[in-house]
Amino acid sequence: MLKLNRAQKHIILQNMAETMHSFKPYPNDREVGKAAEALVTVHPCLKEPGSESGWYGWKVSLKYKMGNFRAMLSRSECLEVAINAGRRSINNPDKEPPHFNIKRARRAEVNHLPNFPMGKNQASLEQMRLQIVQEVAKVDRNLPLIERFMQRTFALRRQEIVQGNPPVKDFLERWPAL
């Protein structure tokens, strides 16, 4: 058995958390256990001498590391994780409790909540939305322009859907090109 120091274990757990997050940001207990088991299977020198399975301690450490990794991403303003960050606090007692209405990507959904394009912010994307509304109202529509603006404003639409949860009728009125 290999005796790891704290820094070595940190590096292993950090790399595992990054890899696991690339597949699924919110793995369940069974999936974390499979990742820990795979780690010990590939590298038998990491097997723990005290545990029955040899990987239970790695599973617990990975679960904590995944939570810390998501917290780090939330602080660095990764919208996909920040939207699920703890809401209720002493300063905001009226907000929803954590773990309530968690917004996650569905199966095979790639851009659940993308960040705005480089050089764009909410105000500039709102201007593009207004241009889309004006263009759709015309009799002779410039379809390539509408399509290009719709692609650029995807992040704004997605943010409205995930954060605001508007009725479909209202959403289609705001985005008539859909």
Side-chain angles (χ1 to χ4, degrees):
M1 300 303 140
L2 182 65
K3 180 71 174 159
L4 296 175
N5 63 27
R6 187 174 179 198
Q8 292 169 327
K9 188 171 182 180
H10 169 76
I11 292 170
I12 292 170
L13 289 172
Q14 185 71 23
N15 290 336
M16 287 289 292
E18 289 173 8
T19 305
M20 288 172 61
H21 187 270
S22 70
F23 289 106
K24 193 171 183 181
Y26 298 93
N28 59 30
D29 189 58
R30 185 175 48 84
E31 293 165 340
V32 175
K34 282 185 177 181
E37 186 177 6
L39 175 69
V40 172
T41 304
V42 172
H43 303 286
C45 61
L46 297 177
K47 195 170 191 174
E48 295 175 327
S51 70
E52 187 174 307
S53 62
W55 48 264
Y56 183 76
W58 285 103
K59 175 184 165 185
V60 172
S61 296
L62 272 174
K63 285 175 75 172
Y64 280 106
K65 182 54 86 172
M66 284 297 294
N68 292 339
F69 186 72
R70 285 191 301 267
M72 180 194 66
L73 289 176
S74 176
R75 284 190 303 270
S76 66
E77 298 177 0
C78 176
L79 291 177
E80 189 171 348
V81 178
I83 192 164
N84 293 326
R87 296 179 175 100
R88 184 179 289 172
S89 67
I90 294 173
N91 298 331
N92 297 316
D94 299 332
K95 291 193 172 188
E96 295 175 344
H99 305 302
F100 179 77
N101 198 15
I102 299 259
K103 296 179 173 49
R104 303 180 185 178
R106 300 292 179 229
R107 187 174 295 204
E109 191 173 27
V110 177
N111 283 333
H112 174 60
L113 192 58
N115 292 324
F116 291 142
M118 293 295 274
K120 302 290 183 189
N121 59 15
Q122 190 164 1
S124 64
L125 292 176
E126 183 65 25
Q127 288 296 327
M128 281 188 190
R129 185 193 70 81
L130 295 174
Q131 288 177 343
I132 292 170
V133 171
Q134 291 173 353
E135 195 64 36
V136 168
K138 293 180 183 177
V139 175
D140 295 328
R141 298 176 182 156
N142 186 351
L143 295 179
L145 178 69
I146 293 173
E147 183 178 347
R148 190 168 55 242
F149 281 169
M150 288 297 284
Q151 287 176 355
R152 288 183 186 163
T153 57
F154 174 76
L156 181 64
R157 285 195 312 276
R158 196 60 184 201
Q159 185 178 26
E160 286 179 13
I161 290 170
V162 172
Q163 291 178 346
N165 203 9
V168 174
K169 181 180 176 185
D170 296 343
F171 189 74
L172 290 176
E173 287 175 5
R174 277 186 54 82
W175 298 92
L178 289 176

